[in-house]
Amino acid sequence: MSVHISAKKGEIADVVLQPGDPLRAKFMADNYLSDVKMVSQTRNVFYYTGLYKGREITVGASGMGAPSIGIYSYELFTEYDVETIVRIGTCGAYSTESKLFDLINVEHAASESTYAKYAWGMEEELLSHEGNIYNLINETAAETGRAIKAGNIHTSDVFYRKTPGTPAIAEKYNCLAVEMEAFALFANAKYLGKNAATLLTVSDIIPTREEISADQREKMLRDMIELALEAVIKL
Ligand code: HPA
């Protein structure tokens, strides 16, 4: 047991797929894993461990924002000996060059967040994915005929803001899109010597306010989940 996860030691696999939403974790467990066991439901943040093509995998939510993923990923890495976390999420594209449903494998996350500085003394505002899982995702996408963009994204602490447009940090690092978690996940992985990747689907185009509908979400989710699962079984 850790402070926020009630699984026993040994009940969490060495690789965790981490959507933001607990119900997405349930969807993944129900649709993709066999021999599934729910191993934590503290705060209704469900964690499930099961098998995908014979490999043990845990799926469980991060919640929203750097503080939340910071807590869950830290406890998974340090209390459950997790080696690899793949965040599976959605993002808002900053430009109309991106299209709804585009898949992004995050190379670097840029952020104004103070998370990495105050947690680990890291002064950088740009943090990289960690380990080989990023490459495995790119390779798996190529093998399975999925188009994927590798690039930088902005991890923001802010969803609603006064001034529209692309924030300065996102311009500075050529960020394709914005989400709210990758930077903290990468900071924890870097500090702890672990592996982390973030796979995102574009769910809205910020300049035009286009967004995918609720029923389109399931299909996009399936594509991203299947890519992540096929990549992690190579670990
Ligand atoms: N901002 C932050 N996170 C997001 C967005 C957004 O517009 N869309 C999906 N995740």
Side-chain angles (χ1 to χ4, degrees), residues 11-225:
E11 286 186 327
I12 290 192
D14 65 343
V15 52
V16 176
L17 299 193
Q18 195 159 50
D21 176 356
L23 291 177
R24 280 198 204 148
K26 180 175 184 331
F27 175 87
M28 289 161 73
D30 289 347
N31 288 279
Y32 292 97
L33 300 185
S34 59
D35 301 301
V36 185
K37 183 173 176 197
M38 185 195 268
V39 293
S40 182
Q41 49 183 320
T42 306
R43 291 176 178 246
N44 281 349
V45 175
F46 311 127
Y47 278 77
Y48 303 88
T49 298
L51 298 177
Y52 179 75
K53 297 192 176 171
R55 202 220 191 271
E56 194 180 59
I57 288 170
T58 295
V59 296
S62 66
M64 287 186 282
S68 187
I69 198 168
I71 289 170
Y72 288 107
S73 61
Y74 182 83
E75 291 182 18
L76 290 166
F77 283 144
T78 60
E79 308 249 359
Y80 293 97
D81 299 330
V82 170
E83 288 299 322
T84 304
I85 296 178
V86 180
R87 162 166 155 66
I88 292 175
T90 56
C91 61
Y94 278 130
S95 120
T96 52
E97 279 168 36
S98 293
K99 303 289 171 222
L100 292 177
F101 303 108
D102 278 359
L103 267 176
I104 299 174
N105 188 10
V106 177
E107 194 172 0
H108 298 93
S111 190
E112 316 88 332
S113 165
T114 54
Y115 180 87
K117 179 174 173 185
Y118 288 107
W120 315 124
M122 290 174 190
E123 298 289 340
E124 299 96 316
E125 56 186 10
L126 189 71
L127 292 175
S128 171
H129 70 87
E130 292 290 320
N132 193 38
I133 181 62
Y134 167 87
N135 291 329
L136 286 178
I137 291 170
N138 283 336
E139 281 167 29
T140 308
E143 283 161 20
T144 56
R146 289 179 168 92
I148 193 163
K149 286 186 182 174
N152 297 348
I153 56 90
H154 176 204
T155 297
S156 179
D157 286 343
V158 177
F159 189 85
Y160 300 105
R161 64 177 73 236
K162 185 164 130 189
T163 322
T166 306
I169 192 164
E171 294 277 8
K172 181 172 170 188
Y173 295 107
N174 255 322
C175 295
L176 297 167
V178 57
E179 54 84 76
M180 305 184 79
E181 292 82 15
F183 183 78
L185 172 62
F186 292 172
N188 283 355
K190 181 179 165 89
Y191 180 72
L192 297 167
K194 303 282 185 169
N195 308 304
T198 293
L199 194 51
L200 301 171
T201 298
V202 173
S203 62
D204 40 280
I205 309 286
I206 292 173
T208 59
R209 301 199 173 149
E210 263 181 288
E211 55 181 28
I212 54 186
S213 64
D215 54 335
Q216 287 172 315
R217 277 180 195 260
E218 180 170 325
K219 196 207 151 296
M220 79 140 214
L221 196 61
R222 280 188 178 275
D223 202 38
M224 185 165 52
I225 292 166

